[in-house]
Amino acid sequence: MDTENLDSLIVEAIKNNKNEKKKPYTEPKQSSIKIYREQLKKLYQSVNGERDITMVGLAKIILNFDIVKNQLDNPTNDYSNATKKNYVNTVLNIIMYIPNINNYYNVKPIKINKIREAITTYWEQLIEKVNKTLLENNKVEDKHIDIKQFQEVLKKFRKTIDNNPTNKYLLQDFVLLLLYEG
Protein backbone atom coordinates (compact mmCIF):
# COMPACT_ATOMS: atom_id res chain seq x y z
CA MET A 1 0.00 0.00 0.00
CA ASP A 2 1.50 3.34 -1.00
CA THR A 3 1.66 6.46 1.17
CA GLU A 4 -1.29 8.14 -0.52
CA ASN A 5 -3.58 5.15 0.04
CA LEU A 6 -2.40 4.77 3.61
CA ASP A 7 -3.05 8.47 4.28
CA SER A 8 -6.56 8.21 2.85
CA LEU A 9 -7.23 5.15 5.05
CA ILE A 10 -6.09 7.17 8.09
CA VAL A 11 -8.39 10.08 7.18
CA GLU A 12 -11.32 7.70 6.68
CA ALA A 13 -10.57 6.03 10.01
CA ILE A 14 -10.60 9.41 11.74
CA LYS A 15 -13.96 10.21 10.10
CA ASN A 16 -15.40 6.85 11.18
CA ASN A 17 -14.12 7.36 14.72
CA LYS A 18 -15.68 10.83 14.95
CA ASN A 19 -18.98 9.58 13.51
CA GLU A 20 -19.23 6.68 15.96
CA LYS A 21 -18.42 8.92 18.91
CA LYS A 22 -20.82 11.62 17.65
CA LYS A 23 -18.08 14.24 17.55
CA PRO A 24 -17.76 16.94 14.89
CA TYR A 25 -15.29 16.09 12.16
CA THR A 26 -12.48 18.46 11.26
CA GLU A 27 -9.95 17.72 8.56
CA PRO A 28 -6.79 16.33 10.21
CA LYS A 29 -3.54 18.24 9.79
CA GLN A 30 -0.92 16.77 7.49
CA SER A 31 1.49 16.56 10.42
CA SER A 32 -1.01 14.40 12.35
CA ILE A 33 -1.53 12.13 9.36
CA LYS A 34 2.24 11.77 8.98
CA ILE A 35 2.64 10.81 12.65
CA TYR A 36 -0.16 8.23 12.40
CA ARG A 37 1.38 6.88 9.18
CA GLU A 38 4.80 6.43 10.77
CA GLN A 39 3.29 4.78 13.84
CA LEU A 40 1.22 2.47 11.64
CA LYS A 41 4.32 1.45 9.72
CA LYS A 42 6.24 0.66 12.91
CA LEU A 43 3.33 -1.27 14.40
CA TYR A 44 2.83 -3.13 11.13
CA GLN A 45 6.45 -4.14 10.89
CA SER A 46 6.61 -5.25 14.53
CA VAL A 47 3.66 -7.62 14.08
CA ASN A 48 4.05 -8.69 10.46
CA GLY A 49 7.80 -8.38 9.93
CA GLU A 50 7.34 -6.98 6.44
CA ARG A 51 7.19 -3.54 4.89
CA ASP A 52 4.36 -3.85 2.35
CA ILE A 53 1.20 -2.86 4.20
CA THR A 54 -1.98 -4.83 3.50
CA MET A 55 -5.41 -4.83 5.09
CA VAL A 56 -4.83 -8.38 6.35
CA GLY A 57 -1.62 -7.21 8.03
CA LEU A 58 -3.39 -4.22 9.61
CA ALA A 59 -6.02 -6.58 11.02
CA LYS A 60 -3.21 -8.74 12.46
CA ILE A 61 -2.07 -5.75 14.56
CA ILE A 62 -5.43 -5.92 16.34
CA LEU A 63 -5.55 -9.70 16.54
CA ASN A 64 -1.97 -9.92 17.80
CA PHE A 65 -2.00 -6.91 20.05
CA ASP A 66 -0.14 -8.91 22.69
CA ILE A 67 2.94 -8.70 20.42
CA VAL A 68 2.59 -4.91 20.30
CA LYS A 69 2.05 -4.70 24.07
CA ASN A 70 5.08 -6.91 24.79
CA GLN A 71 7.24 -4.79 22.51
CA LEU A 72 6.03 -1.54 24.09
CA ASP A 73 6.57 -2.90 27.61
CA ASN A 74 9.98 -4.40 26.85
CA PRO A 75 12.46 -2.40 28.96
CA THR A 76 15.17 -2.67 26.31
CA ASN A 77 13.04 -0.54 23.95
CA ASP A 78 12.85 2.20 26.61
CA TYR A 79 9.53 3.70 25.50
CA SER A 80 8.07 6.38 27.74
CA ASN A 81 4.48 5.93 28.90
CA ALA A 82 3.47 8.85 26.67
CA THR A 83 4.99 7.13 23.62
CA LYS A 84 3.30 3.85 24.50
CA LYS A 85 -0.01 5.70 24.90
CA ASN A 86 0.40 7.26 21.45
CA TYR A 87 1.04 3.89 19.78
CA VAL A 88 -1.93 2.30 21.56
CA ASN A 89 -4.06 5.29 20.54
CA THR A 90 -3.13 4.61 16.91
CA VAL A 91 -4.29 1.00 17.29
CA LEU A 92 -7.46 1.86 19.17
CA ASN A 93 -8.62 4.98 17.35
CA ILE A 94 -7.16 4.60 13.86
CA ILE A 95 -6.64 0.95 12.91
CA MET A 96 -9.90 -0.24 14.50
CA TYR A 97 -11.78 2.41 12.50
CA ILE A 98 -10.28 1.73 9.09
CA PRO A 99 -13.14 1.16 6.64
CA ASN A 100 -13.94 -2.55 6.18
CA ILE A 101 -11.22 -3.69 8.60
CA ASN A 102 -13.82 -6.07 10.07
CA ASN A 103 -13.71 -8.10 6.85
CA TYR A 104 -10.09 -9.06 7.53
CA TYR A 105 -10.22 -10.26 11.15
CA ASN A 106 -11.28 -13.87 10.45
CA VAL A 107 -12.55 -14.22 14.03
CA LYS A 108 -15.94 -13.73 15.61
CA PRO A 109 -17.02 -10.20 16.56
CA ILE A 110 -17.19 -11.19 20.23
CA LYS A 111 -13.42 -11.92 20.16
CA ILE A 112 -12.77 -8.51 18.59
CA ASN A 113 -14.84 -6.87 21.34
CA LYS A 114 -12.73 -8.62 24.01
CA ILE A 115 -9.53 -7.51 22.28
CA ARG A 116 -10.87 -3.93 22.03
CA GLU A 117 -11.70 -3.97 25.75
CA ALA A 118 -8.21 -5.21 26.63
CA ILE A 119 -6.58 -2.54 24.44
CA THR A 120 -8.84 0.14 25.94
CA THR A 121 -7.94 -0.95 29.47
CA TYR A 122 -4.22 -0.85 28.67
CA TRP A 123 -4.65 2.59 27.03
CA GLU A 124 -6.50 3.96 30.07
CA GLN A 125 -3.76 2.65 32.37
CA LEU A 126 -1.16 4.44 30.26
CA ILE A 127 -3.19 7.66 30.37
CA GLU A 128 -3.29 7.42 34.17
CA LYS A 129 0.48 6.85 34.33
CA VAL A 130 1.14 9.82 32.03
CA ASN A 131 -1.18 12.09 34.02
CA LYS A 132 0.38 10.95 37.30
CA THR A 133 3.86 11.67 35.92
CA LEU A 134 2.77 15.16 34.87
CA LEU A 135 1.32 15.84 38.31
CA GLU A 136 4.49 14.64 40.00
CA ASN A 137 6.74 16.66 37.72
CA ASN A 138 8.66 18.57 40.38
CA LYS A 139 11.43 21.06 39.85
CA VAL A 140 14.87 19.50 40.27
CA GLU A 141 16.87 22.18 42.05
CA ASP A 142 20.23 20.99 40.68
CA LYS A 143 19.11 21.79 37.13
CA HIS A 144 17.82 25.31 37.84
CA ILE A 145 19.60 28.58 38.54
CA ASP A 146 18.57 31.06 41.19
CA ILE A 147 17.57 34.69 40.56
CA LYS A 148 21.09 36.03 41.15
CA GLN A 149 22.57 33.64 38.60
CA PHE A 150 19.81 34.50 36.14
CA GLN A 151 20.56 38.23 36.47
CA GLU A 152 24.26 37.51 35.79
CA VAL A 153 23.26 35.67 32.62
CA LEU A 154 21.16 38.70 31.60
CA LYS A 155 24.09 41.09 32.17
CA LYS A 156 26.46 38.96 30.08
CA PHE A 157 23.86 38.55 27.38
CA ARG A 158 23.29 42.32 27.32
CA LYS A 159 27.01 42.87 26.67
CA THR A 160 26.84 40.34 23.82
CA ILE A 161 23.93 42.27 22.28
CA ASP A 162 25.77 45.57 22.64
CA ASN A 163 28.70 44.06 20.72
CA ASN A 164 26.36 42.69 17.97
CA PRO A 165 23.65 45.35 17.44
CA THR A 166 22.61 44.06 14.00
CA ASN A 167 21.83 40.50 15.11
CA LYS A 168 18.06 40.49 15.56
CA TYR A 169 18.06 36.87 16.79
CA LEU A 170 20.18 37.77 19.80
CA LEU A 171 17.81 40.62 20.56
CA GLN A 172 14.83 38.29 20.33
CA ASP A 173 16.49 35.84 22.73
CA PHE A 174 17.26 38.69 25.12
CA VAL A 175 13.64 39.88 25.08
CA LEU A 176 12.54 36.33 25.80
CA LEU A 177 14.91 36.15 28.77
CA LEU A 178 13.49 39.44 30.05
CA LEU A 179 10.00 37.96 29.84
CA TYR A 180 11.17 34.97 31.88
CA GLU A 181 12.57 37.31 34.46
CA GLY A 182 9.08 38.74 34.94
Side-chain angles (χ1 to χ4, degrees):
M1 187 176 303
D2 65 3
T3 300
E4 191 175 309
N5 288 337
L6 191 55
D7 287 356
S8 64
L9 271 181
I10 291 168
V11 170
E12 287 301 312
I14 293 170
K15 283 181 187 175
N16 290 344
N17 186 322
K18 297 287 185 179
N19 283 340
E20 184 175 305
K21 294 178 179 175
K22 308 269 191 267
K23 292 184 178 179
Y25 173 75
T26 54
E27 197 66 34
K29 295 177 186 174
Q30 281 302 311
S31 58
S32 298
I33 294 171
K34 181 181 178 186
I35 290 168
Y36 284 131
R37 179 183 346 112
E38 293 308 312
Q39 288 179 341
L40 270 173
K41 287 178 180 179
K42 288 178 183 176
L43 289 165
Y44 189 90
Q45 196 165 12
S46 71
V47 171
N48 296 290
E50 48 191 68
R51 288 201 167 307
D52 293 331
I53 296 177
T54 64
M55 291 295 284
V56 171
L58 288 171
K60 283 181 183 177
I61 294 171
I62 304 295
L63 296 173
N64 299 310
F65 185 75
D66 56 324
I67 294 172
V68 173
K69 186 178 182 303
N70 289 338
Q71 186 168 5
L72 291 174
D73 289 340
N74 187 339
T76 58
N77 291 331
D78 196 31
Y79 289 121
S80 71
N81 287 327
T83 300
K84 292 177 193 178
K85 178 186 72 73
N86 292 338
Y87 276 105
V88 176
N89 179 62
T90 300
V91 173
L92 195 59
N93 293 309
I94 300 297
I95 298 174
M96 291 195 101
Y97 287 93
I98 290 175
N100 302 319
I101 193 77
N102 297 348
N103 299 340
Y104 297 92
Y105 288 142
N106 295 327
V107 294
K108 294 181 180 180
I110 197 160
K111 171 111 172 146
I112 295 301
N113 288 338
K114 286 182 180 179
I115 293 171
R116 182 187 297 247
E117 286 173 19
I119 296 171
T120 302
T121 301
Y122 180 59
W123 185 59
E124 289 169 349
Q125 290 168 351
L126 290 170
I127 290 172
E128 282 181 34
K129 287 178 184 177
V130 169
N131 289 342
K132 184 178 178 187
T133 302
L134 292 174
L135 288 174
E136 293 174 355
N137 195 0
N138 296 326
K139 186 167 104 173
V140 178
E141 294 299 327
D142 295 344
K143 295 183 180 183
H144 293 275
I145 61 175
D146 62 21
I147 293 172
K148 235 181 192 178
Q149 292 170 317
F150 188 77
Q151 287 172 344
E152 282 298 313
V153 169
L154 281 175
K155 282 181 187 177
K156 289 179 184 177
F157 205 80
R158 175 65 192 248
K159 289 178 185 174
T160 304
I161 290 172
D162 290 343
N163 294 335
N164 299 300
T166 58
N167 189 333
K168 66 180 181 181
Y169 298 109
L170 283 176
L171 184 59
Q172 287 174 345
D173 289 344
F174 183 69
V175 170
L176 187 62
L177 281 174
L178 289 174
L179 289 172
Y180 277 119
E181 183 183 34

